[in-house]
């Protein structure tokens, strides 16, 4: 055999020692390859056996699994998810390639064991959230374990009602700027607007004021910082959909990788400049004087809260940690809220009777208000608008999925086990469209969230801000902003559908392909009753 192998490898003429060494290396390499193939085959067999108890939709083929069917995140994929959930109403299996099964959960009873587990047992999946690390570092979105717990405790005061109250005035001001733009465009004859585009800029404007106390005028003129935030979101979305770019060593050699690094640098420098300037003021004035000055009408912003935060041992956050949390809030706070507001306008445009009732509710609430603005106490006085917002976020949740990786076996209610090391997908979109959870789930019906109906509802039937120990820390901030923006918009404008149906697209957040276009008509006299139009069928 050695002579035959030597002949096949063309080693005649070499000394016996060299020839033997090459043959030995060949045998070693062949043995390693055979072991790897055998191991992969055995692993595949074991995985298949372990997950046989979970039903699965038909595979595209054995090699790609369900990739492309559920991961393109376009309208057809979302319809496929709705169809799959209608068939498998509790849990089902999808395959990302031949060797990676993902358990998808789409029923409250089956989601509960994962969301009720500690952040140590069901942390976020490294692959999914790792792309954010160069931008957001170890902020709340990405961090795990003790660091996440410590930072959550330090950040929680930033979202206390006493801190949020002054932000309502900022929401009013940013909305006023957007509405002035809309009136100007309507006066020029441009009544069809991509509301998502406008609202995204408006939420970024508000966030800069709430986080940094900085007015960039980004709704009226370009801002390099805002452009970089938007560019980073687009680049991460593209990277998710390009398998070969999942490796950092390859990605940062590409043109898009270099653009990503440059945008990160600009965002980090901008945030750090604000932190250093604020630290200088704090050092000059001292904490007591600093807080006293803030009490004289100046808003306590997010950076202020982080700079003053101390843990039980008196330790403060480092500059880098403050930067990471500020960048995380900036990212998580603008797109998700913009999505919630935009899809609410979309749904109300198609259901004029609900839009009219919202208009009437706000009109009565603000009767006699001078100036015409929403105040903190008004937020709890909009029951029907709140119902409409919640129903819109059920049909169109800003975040459609949350991915967890199980570090221990997790038992489901029917005794099936999600094994340790498995990737688990909490399907928010699937749960919100599950006919076993919501009767007639594709119908927009705000009365689902009437007080009498919500008493019978599982807390996990509706989870636009996720659920469990890692739910969204800023959900009260987001709901407050959505209520202010929608209340003023429905008071001042009549919103109508666009002739072209919207095509949903689930990237980092749920948006629309080619923008979310609506027709807006200014109400010349907000105090006059609006003509009640017939309901427009939903596209």
């Amino acid at each position: 055999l050695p002579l035959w192998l030597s002949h096949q490898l063309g080693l005649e003429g070499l000394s016996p020692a060299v020839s033997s060494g090459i043959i030995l290396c060949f045998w070693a390499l062949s043995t390693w390859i055979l072991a790897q193939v055998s191991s992969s085959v055995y692993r595949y067999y074991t995985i298949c056996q372990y997950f046989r108890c979970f039903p699965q939709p038909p595979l595209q083929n054995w090699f790609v699994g369900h990739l492309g069917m559920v991961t393109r995140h376009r309208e057809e994929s979302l319809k496929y998810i709705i169809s799959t959930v209608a068939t498998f109403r509790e849990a089902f299996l999808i395959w990302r390639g031949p060797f990676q099964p993902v358990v998808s959960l789409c029923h409250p009873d089956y989601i509960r064991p994962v969301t009720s587990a500690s952040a140590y047992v069901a942390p976020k999946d490294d692959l999914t959230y790792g792309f954010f690390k160069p931008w957001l570092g170890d902020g709340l979105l990405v961090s795990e374990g003790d660091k996440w717990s410590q930072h959550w405790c330090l950040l929680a005061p930033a979202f206390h009602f006493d801190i949020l109250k002054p932000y309502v005035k900022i929401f009013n001001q940013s909305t006023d700027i957007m509405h002035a733009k809309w009136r100007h465009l309507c006066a020029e004859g441009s009544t069809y607007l991509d509301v998502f585009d406008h609202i995204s800029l408006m939420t970024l404007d508000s966030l800069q004021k709430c986080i940094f106390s900085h007015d960039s005028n980004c709704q009226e003129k370009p801002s390099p910082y805002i452009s970089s935030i938007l560019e980073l979101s687009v680049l991460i979305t593209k990277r998710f959909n390009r398998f070969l770019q999942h490796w950092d060593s390859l990605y940062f050699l590409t043109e898009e990788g270099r653009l990503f690094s440059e945008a990160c640098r600009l965002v980090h420098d901008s945030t750090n400049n604000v932190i250093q300037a604020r630290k200088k003021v704090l050092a000059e004035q001292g904490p007591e004087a600093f807080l006293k000055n803030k009490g004289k009408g100046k808003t306590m912003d997010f950076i202020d809260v982080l700079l003053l935060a101390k843990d039980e041992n008196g330790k403060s956050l480092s500059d880098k940690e403050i930067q990471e949390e500020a960048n995380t809030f900036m990212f998580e706070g603008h797109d998700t809220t913009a999505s919630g507001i935009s899809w609410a306008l979309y749904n109300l445009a198609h259901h004029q009777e609900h839009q009219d009732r919202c208009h009437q509710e706000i009109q009565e609430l603000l009767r006699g208000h001078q100036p015409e603005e929403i105040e903190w106490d008004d937020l709890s006085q909009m029951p029907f608008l709140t119902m409409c917002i919640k129903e819109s976020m059920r049909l169109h949740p800003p975040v459609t999925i949350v991915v967890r990786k199980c570090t221990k076996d997790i038992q489901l209610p029917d005794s099936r086990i999600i094994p340790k090391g498995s990737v688990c997908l909490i399907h928010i979109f699937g749960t919100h469209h599950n006919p076993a959870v919501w009767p007639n789930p594709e119908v927009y019906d705000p009365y689902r969230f009437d007080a009498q109906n919500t008493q019978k509802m599982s807390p996990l039937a509706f989870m636009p801000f996720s659920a469990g120990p890692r739910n969204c820390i800023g959900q009260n901030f987001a709901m407050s902003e959505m209520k202010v923006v929608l209340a003023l918009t429905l008071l001042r404008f009549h919103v109508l559908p666009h002739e072209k149906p919207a095509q949903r697209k689930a990237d980092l957040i749920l948006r629309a392909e080619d923008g979310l276009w609506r027709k807006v008509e200014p109400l010349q006299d907000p105090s006059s009753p609006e003509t009640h139009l017939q309901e427009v069928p939903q596209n």
Side-chain angles (χ1 to χ4, degrees), residues 242-253:
R242 295 173 182 173
F243 181 71
L244 291 178
Q245 292 188 357
H246 287 191
W247 284 272
D248 287 350
S249 54
L250 290 178
Y251 180 66
F252 289 107
L253 292 176

Side-chain angles (χ1 to χ4, degrees), residues 6-30:
S6 178
H7 175 71
Q8 293 297 316
L9 296 175
L11 303 179
E12 298 93 339
L14 296 177
S15 66
V18 173
S19 178
S20 298
I22 293 175
I23 291 173
L24 187 62
C25 289
F26 176 80
W27 277 117
L29 180 61
S30 300

Side-chain angles (χ1 to χ4, degrees), residues 168 170-176 178-179 182 195-196 198-200 202-203 206 336-350 354-363 365-366 372-375 378-379 381-394 396 398 444 446 465 477-496 516 518 520-521 523 526:
V168 171
I170 292 173
F171 301 154
N172 277 272
Q173 293 167 349
S174 297
T175 307
D176 290 344
M178 181 179 72
H179 287 169
W182 287 11
V195 293
F196 204 113
H198 287 263
I199 292 169
S200 186
M202 183 274 301
T203 56
S206 291
T336 50
T337 310
S339 177
I341 296 168
S342 300
W343 285 109
L345 290 176
Y346 170 86
N347 286 303
L348 289 170
H350 286 280
H354 298 323
Q355 184 178 161
D356 290 343
R357 182 170 171 184
C358 288
H359 174 82
Q360 184 180 3
E361 180 178 74
I362 305 306
Q363 201 174 40
L365 178 66
L366 295 186
E372 183 185 81
E373 67 177 38
I374 305 295
E375 297 175 354
D378 295 328
L379 298 180
Q381 305 301 315
M382 310 175 189
F384 190 71
L385 176 62
T386 304
M387 288 159 56
C388 289
I389 292 171
K390 289 182 176 180
E391 174 64 353
S392 182
M393 287 198 293
R394 183 194 67 80
H396 299 96
Y444 180 80
F465 300 106
F477 178 98
M479 279 299 293
S480 298
E481 184 171 16
M482 282 192 276
K483 287 182 182 181
V484 171
V485 176
L486 285 166
L488 292 177
T489 300
L490 297 174
L491 180 71
R492 298 167 180 171
F493 292 87
H494 189 203
V495 186
L496 294 162
L516 194 56
R518 300 290 90 186
V520 296
E521 295 177 346
L523 299 177

Side-chain angles (χ1 to χ4, degrees), residues 70-79 81 196 237-238 240-241 339 343 396-401 427 429 503-513:
V70 295
T71 58
R72 277 197 296 263
H73 308 304
R74 299 298 188 260
E75 180 70 27
E76 63 272 17
S77 293
L78 293 172
K79 286 180 177 177
I81 289 296
F196 204 113
T237 300
K238 288 182 178 178
F240 267 120
N241 297 324
S339 177
W343 285 109
H396 299 96
V399 177
T400 58
I401 58 172
H427 221 302
F429 183 87
Q503 298 292 305
R504 293 168 295 186
K505 180 174 69 169
D507 288 333
L508 298 181
I509 49 93
L510 186 66
R511 54 178 74 243
E513 200 90 53

Side-chain angles (χ1 to χ4, degrees), residues 128-399:
T128 306
Y129 295 94
F131 296 154
F132 292 96
K133 276 214 165 190
W135 175 13
L136 307 179
D138 281 328
L140 273 187
L141 178 67
V142 179
S143 60
E144 298 177 6
D146 291 337
K147 184 168 186 177
W148 176 84
S149 300
Q150 292 164 1
H151 281 213
W152 196 97
C153 293
L154 288 172
L155 266 62
F159 299 97
H160 189 272
F161 293 132
D162 290 337
I163 300 294
L164 295 180
K165 284 181 183 179
Y167 292 167
V168 171
K169 192 169 190 66
I170 292 173
F171 301 154
N172 277 272
Q173 293 167 349
S174 297
T175 307
D176 290 344
I177 294 169
M178 181 179 72
H179 287 169
K181 285 172 60 183
W182 287 11
R183 289 186 182 278
H184 180 72
L185 289 168
C186 289
E188 292 181 338
S190 302
T191 56
Y192 284 99
L193 306 175
D194 179 1
V195 293
F196 204 113
D197 223 20
H198 287 263
I199 292 169
S200 186
L201 275 178
M202 183 274 301
T203 56
L204 282 164
D205 190 17
S206 291
L207 276 170
Q208 278 201 289
K209 295 167 184 173
C210 295
I211 296 174
F212 304 121
S213 294
H214 175 62
D215 188 354
S216 67
N217 299 309
C218 66
Q219 294 193 72
E220 299 152 298
K221 64 180 184 182
S223 160
Y225 175 78
I226 296 301
S227 298
S228 295
I229 295 282
L230 296 171
E231 184 178 30
L232 286 167
S233 298
V234 171
L235 289 171
I236 287 179
T237 300
K238 288 182 178 178
R239 190 180 180 189
F240 267 120
N241 297 324
R242 295 173 182 173
F243 181 71
L244 291 178
Q245 292 188 357
H246 287 191
W247 284 272
D248 287 350
S249 54
L250 290 178
Y251 180 66
F252 289 107
L253 292 176
T254 66
E255 179 64 24
E256 290 183 354
R258 288 190 286 271
L259 289 172
F260 184 86
S261 297
E262 179 61 24
C264 279
R265 185 194 60 76
L266 192 149
V267 169
H268 292 167
D269 288 349
S270 299
T271 306
N272 190 53
N273 289 339
V274 175
I275 294 169
Q276 297 308 318
R278 199 67 57 81
K279 282 185 72 176
K280 183 179 178 183
V281 173
L282 181 58
E284 290 172 351
Q285 296 181 354
E288 289 186 12
F290 184 80
L291 285 170
K292 189 175 180 181
N293 287 334
K294 287 290 177 179
K296 294 178 179 178
K298 292 184 179 180
T299 302
M300 175 79 79
D301 64 29
F302 192 65
I303 293 292
D304 293 332
V305 175
L306 296 185
L307 283 169
L308 294 168
K310 295 182 186 296
D311 63 17
E312 64 274 11
N313 299 316
K315 184 182 177 183
S316 303
L317 292 168
S318 69
D319 291 356
K320 187 172 185 295
E321 289 171 328
I322 293 173
Q323 175 185 289
E324 290 169 349
E325 298 301 353
N327 290 335
T328 297
F329 187 24
M330 195 75 193
F331 162 67
E332 289 198 274
H334 86 276
D335 250 4
T336 50
T337 310
S339 177
I341 296 168
S342 300
W343 285 109
L345 290 176
Y346 170 86
N347 286 303
L348 289 170
H350 286 280
H351 296 84
Q352 292 294 319
E353 77 283 13
H354 298 323
Q355 184 178 161
D356 290 343
R357 182 170 171 184
C358 288
H359 174 82
Q360 184 180 3
E361 180 178 74
I362 305 306
Q363 201 174 40
E364 291 174 358
L365 178 66
L366 295 186
R367 183 170 285 124
H369 276 223
Q370 291 297 332
E372 183 185 81
E373 67 177 38
I374 305 295
E375 297 175 354
W376 174 261
D377 291 339
D378 295 328
L379 298 180
S380 60
Q381 305 301 315
M382 310 175 189
F384 190 71
L385 176 62
T386 304
M387 288 159 56
C388 289
I389 292 171
K390 289 182 176 180
E391 174 64 353
S392 182
M393 287 198 293
R394 183 194 67 80
L395 264 180
H396 299 96
V399 177

Side-chain angles (χ1 to χ4, degrees), residues 427-462:
H427 221 302
I428 297 173
F429 183 87
T431 305
H432 286 188
H433 289 257
N434 190 340
V437 181
W438 300 96
N440 301 315
E442 303 311 305
V443 175
Y444 180 80
D445 179 12
Y447 295 99
R448 298 180 200 270
F449 291 92
D450 183 82
Q452 291 182 341
N453 292 328
T454 54
Q455 291 176 359
K456 299 174 283 186
M457 185 191 303
S458 165
L460 296 175
F462 177 66

